[in-house]
Amino acid sequence: MSSSHSNSAYSLLSDPFLQFPTESSVKVVWFTEFQGRENKIIYGQNLDKEIIAKTTELSRTREDEQSKVKGDYSETTRRQIWRHEGEITGLKQGEKVPYKVVTLVKKDKIESNVFSLASSPKKETPLKILLTSDHQLKPMVAANLQKVVETIGKVDAIFLAGDLVNIPDRASEWFDDQRGGAFFPCLQGLANYTIENEDKTTVYHGGQLIQSAPLFPTIGNHEVMGKWSETKRLSRQFVDAIPREVAENLYSEKSDSINPNHDNNFKESWIKNNSFNTDTYEEIFSFPQTASNNSHYYAVTFGDIRLVVLQVTNIWRSPSLEKKVTGRYQEAEKDFDNPENWGYGQHIFKPIEKGSEQYQWLKNELKSEAFQQAKYKIVMFHHPVHTLGGNIVPAYTNPIQKINKDTEGNITEIRYEYPKENDYIIRDLMPLLETAKVDLVFYGHSHLWNRFISSNGINFLESSNVGNSYGAHLGNNKRQIPPDYSPLNYVEIGDPNGLKPIIPNLAPLTDENNNPLPYIASNEITVFSILDTEKGTVSSYYFDTRKPNSNVIKFDEFAI
Ligand SMILES: [Fe+2]
């Protein structure tokens, strides 16, 4: 899959990519399907230096009958993948250094092409940053990223607001899905994704981006796997996430029999395997290893930018009220008497409300010198703050369970409510970001482009249009809300949090009456956004995949 060259039967599973630069270092990561007897990074102006990489095996990657990959995976099966990481140190800011990676396996030597690496840029370095999200192997990702490179050239970093793949433990979604649009190939210019139009077939290769520019990701709902099973389909395990507290209670009931010696490691792994985890995501990427930063929330300085990354995401469940559905508003009828099968509504994976660890961490970060001094203060997470998309309703708050019973005590209904006044993003998070004078809040999750400005000047951008859009809720296109729920609390149209979407100021799309549209929600027109630190702007571009020879159009630009 990679652009490595050798006559060997072996090849690298990915090209190398860059992670977490500091002022004097950067990490290089790549993957193989074998351990290799030696894995190293060759670097320097004359490729005359080398370091040995640290090799680890991904612990949860698997394939199953729904995998689109070579090999027999009629049953859910472990897939062995090794990750290699080396940190290049002693770099000078602003200096670009050639590098390649080499894996030795048996008598063979497999090496990547030569790319360039750098430490984090100095202040006042002009930077172009790609803002993207919700790739999930959607049909327009390869076209989108190819157009980024054709339009902008190489970018300096990528900020990715979550939902990298669909099912994180399915290895082929990251590396080698046979449809040609896996995560790494799209971001490394190695995709082969075909879009067919009436008169033309076009193959898109994505963009060669992350070999030479660091990728900063965050956790969306698609980074989270639910309850572990050796045999169930991965898509089943993905939706089988229940709140950690429920698993903790189950553990307490059973602990004497399943863990008679009260071993704490056993307890922790039992609770994880019976609730949810982000292990594969955490094992693939590198995160700052400091006392406060971790894989769930972190902050970095990159040139003039202070980027604060939060984990703000809940499980996605269907709004349907059909009796068989384990949904956001109800439990399935067949499970009323089987709490072990309940979904517990759209529960939140990592608390952000006032008083939570993450909230405290953010408060300290916003007070820090690094944040306060930064020219551009940017906060990124997955869940929307303001959007026309569907996923902003119900409110971002812990579901309240209501169980109704008949006169004989039989359960007739299990419902979930989400009081809007308890929306943690609006009630707790936004006041902190407003006080701290954040310039831009960037998120995804609803698969459309739209933007907003609050009365005190904070810009909000959702730029996640790479295919499989779920539409914008304006006019007659109402969100699906239970008929007995108040539309004041469960808002059917527009931004439930009260802002008007901004009409793109350069070249908006129009409706059938030629009125400009304040969004792009399309399965044929794809969008990307570029933050330019020299001009202090965010520019958004669209490309119409129905017209493969058409130009990329810059349709919106705002200052931050
Ligand atoms: Fe999402």
Side-chain angles (χ1 to χ4, degrees):
M1 290 304 292
S2 78
S3 60
S4 63
H5 41 83
S6 77
N7 298 321
S8 167
Y10 299 96
S11 60
L12 306 180
L13 189 57
S14 76
D15 262 4
F17 65 101
L18 302 184
Q19 288 275 277
F20 287 96
T22 69
E23 288 179 10
S24 62
S25 70
V26 67
K27 293 173 179 178
V28 175
V29 177
W30 74 104
F31 298 90
T32 56
E33 285 191 274
F34 37 84
Q35 190 167 7
R37 61 186 164 82
E38 194 167 287
N39 295 284
K40 55 191 179 183
I41 302 159
I42 315 278
Y43 69 102
Q45 295 307 336
N46 302 311
L47 292 173
D48 51 356
K49 299 179 194 168
E50 70 171 54
I51 62 160
I52 302 296
K54 183 176 163 231
T55 294
T56 50
E57 191 183 343
L58 301 185
S59 66
R60 288 175 185 250
T61 40
R62 289 163 287 166
E63 302 289 356
D64 70 356
E65 59 179 327
Q66 294 176 314
S67 293
K68 305 279 192 291
V69 68
K70 279 187 200 139
D72 175 18
Y73 293 111
S74 52
E75 288 171 12
T76 301
T77 309
R78 181 98 180 81
R79 183 164 169 206
Q80 285 190 292
I81 288 169
W82 281 268
R83 175 191 199 262
H84 318 287
E85 176 185 287
E87 184 166 24
I88 309 296
T89 56
L91 298 169
K92 291 195 197 79
Q93 284 187 301
E95 179 191 22
K96 283 200 187 325
V97 177
Y99 82 98
K100 64 182 178 181
V101 300
V102 176
T103 289
L104 303 177
V105 54
K106 296 190 179 153
K107 288 181 180 160
D108 289 1
K109 175 181 177 184
I110 305 134
E111 53 184 28
S112 72
N113 289 340
V114 176
F115 304 104
S116 73
L117 56 78
S119 63
S120 68
K122 277 193 274 242
K123 292 207 180 340
E124 293 180 21
T125 306
L127 302 171
K128 291 198 168 98
I129 315 265
L130 171 63
L131 308 177
T132 185
S133 71
D134 299 274
H135 289 190
Q136 298 175 239
L137 292 88
K138 295 299 182 202
M140 298 193 293
V141 179
N144 184 295
L145 298 172
Q146 182 170 323
K147 292 297 160 186
V148 169
V149 173
E150 287 174 12
T151 310
I152 307 298
K154 290 209 187 297
V155 300
D156 298 289
I158 293 108
F159 296 172
L160 210 168
D163 283 3
L164 288 63
V165 294
N166 289 302
I167 296 177
D169 282 5
R170 183 179 285 137
S172 50
E173 293 202 15
W174 295 99
F175 302 110
D176 55 359
D177 185 287
Q178 293 292 293
R179 290 164 292 181
F183 179 78
F184 282 108
C186 279
L187 283 160
Q188 298 193 312
L190 299 165
N192 266 300
Y193 197 91
T194 302
I195 294 185
E196 287 187 35
N197 296 307
E198 275 167 24
D199 51 348
K200 201 167 178 202
T201 295
T202 312
V203 180
Y204 292 99
H205 301 295
Q208 196 184 95
L209 293 161
I210 58 172
Q211 288 95 331
S212 310
L215 169 69
F216 297 94
T218 188
I219 294 178
N221 51 307
H222 283 275
E223 275 60 68
V224 186
M225 283 302 286
K227 287 188 240 175
W228 172 269
S229 161
E230 292 287 339
T231 53
K232 284 182 185 167
R233 276 183 178 186
L234 295 169
S235 55
R236 177 73 236 165
Q237 298 182 46
F238 172 74
V239 299
D240 254 354
I242 61 165
R244 202 182 140 90
E245 305 78 65
V246 175
E248 282 169 349
N249 290 340
L250 262 174
Y251 173 83
S252 300
E253 284 168 22
K254 297 180 177 186
S255 66
D256 285 343
S257 61
I258 58 175
N259 189 14
N261 298 327
H262 300 283
D263 177 76
N264 205 44
N265 289 337
F266 179 94
K267 176 185 174 183
E268 280 306 309
S269 82
W270 192 95
I271 290 168
K272 182 198 274 192
N273 285 334
N274 287 279
S275 55
F276 60 85
N277 74 86
T278 49
D279 285 11
T280 296
Y281 169 86
E282 293 174 62
E283 289 173 8
I284 284 180
F285 298 102
S286 321
F287 295 95
Q289 302 284 326
T290 63
S292 56
N293 284 340
N294 60 54
S295 50
H296 298 276
Y297 38 90
Y298 62 88
V300 290
T301 297
F302 192 77
D304 285 327
I305 299 169
R306 184 67 173 174
L307 173 68
V308 181
V309 177
L310 302 175
Q311 184 179 330
V312 180
T313 189
N314 55 7
I315 192 163
W316 184 93
R317 297 200 187 283
S318 167
S320 170
L321 296 180
E322 278 183 55
K323 290 194 184 305
K324 62 174 192 213
V325 169
T326 304
R328 63 178 73 165
Y329 298 116
Q330 65 169 32
E331 297 295 353
E333 189 175 39
K334 65 176 170 39
D335 292 328
F336 284 170
D337 295 321
N338 306 311
E340 67 276 14
N341 294 338
W342 292 355
Y344 298 90
Q346 288 199 155
H347 54 90
I348 289 168
F349 294 120
K350 177 77 70 185
I352 185 65
E353 70 261 37
K354 202 169 197 167
S356 66
E357 267 177 48
Q358 185 173 202
Y359 179 92
Q360 286 306 334
W361 173 87
L362 176 63
K363 255 179 109 168
N364 290 334
E365 162 59 24
L366 299 178
K367 275 189 261 171
S368 72
E369 190 75 4
F371 181 88
Q372 302 246 327
Q373 299 298 319
K375 186 170 176 191
Y376 301 114
K377 302 173 171 70
I378 299 181
V379 178
M380 173 170 81
F381 48 83
H382 186 60
H383 199 89
V385 186
H386 298 281
T387 185
L388 302 174
N391 288 339
I392 198 167
V393 175
Y396 192 81
T397 184
N398 287 326
I400 297 173
Q401 190 182 59
K402 299 269 164 81
I403 301 183
N404 294 325
K405 294 180 178 173
D406 64 18
T407 49
E408 277 145 37
N410 302 310
I411 295 177
T412 55
E413 216 179 27
I414 303 175
R415 297 290 286 270
Y416 292 98
E417 293 177 11
Y418 304 79
K420 194 162 173 284
E421 65 272 21
N422 296 341
D423 187 306
Y424 305 136
I425 298 175
I426 298 299
R427 190 192 70 184
D428 298 344
L429 175 55
M430 280 317 301
L432 286 187
L433 302 187
E434 278 164 20
T435 307
K437 298 201 168 7
V438 165
D439 297 299
L440 173 66
V441 183
F442 172 54
Y443 44 81
H445 193 41
S446 312
H447 296 218
L448 80 165
W449 181 97
N450 56 182
R451 75 172 174 98
F452 301 81
I453 305 178
S454 65
S455 55
N456 45 16
I458 298 186
N459 288 287
F460 299 89
L461 175 68
E462 181 168 16
S463 187
S464 54
N465 196 256
V466 289
N468 207 18
S469 181
Y470 309 117
H473 294 283
L474 276 182
N476 295 322
N477 183 22
K478 292 182 176 173
R479 296 186 181 93
Q480 196 179 342
I481 306 295
D484 54 335
Y485 279 27
S486 164
L488 294 174
N489 200 17
Y490 301 85
V491 176
E492 294 170 310
I493 291 293
D495 169 31
N497 297 321
L499 294 186
K500 278 188 89 161
I502 309 280
I503 301 219
N505 55 15
L506 299 177
L509 298 184
T510 51
D511 67 11
E512 60 276 15
N513 300 319
N514 230 13
N515 297 312
L517 292 169
Y519 62 87
I520 295 183
S522 169
N523 293 321
E524 286 140 343
I525 300 174
T526 189
V527 175
F528 60 87
S529 298
I530 301 288
L531 164 65
D532 182 325
T533 66
E534 189 176 23
K535 292 194 284 173
T537 54
V538 174
S539 308
S540 293
Y541 300 79
Y542 72 73
F543 171 65
D544 189 341
T545 63
R546 291 168 300 188
K547 301 174 196 155
N549 297 324
S550 65
N551 291 327
V552 170
I553 308 289
K554 179 153 79 165
F555 69 94
D556 183 71
E557 188 165 271
F558 63 91
I560 65 167

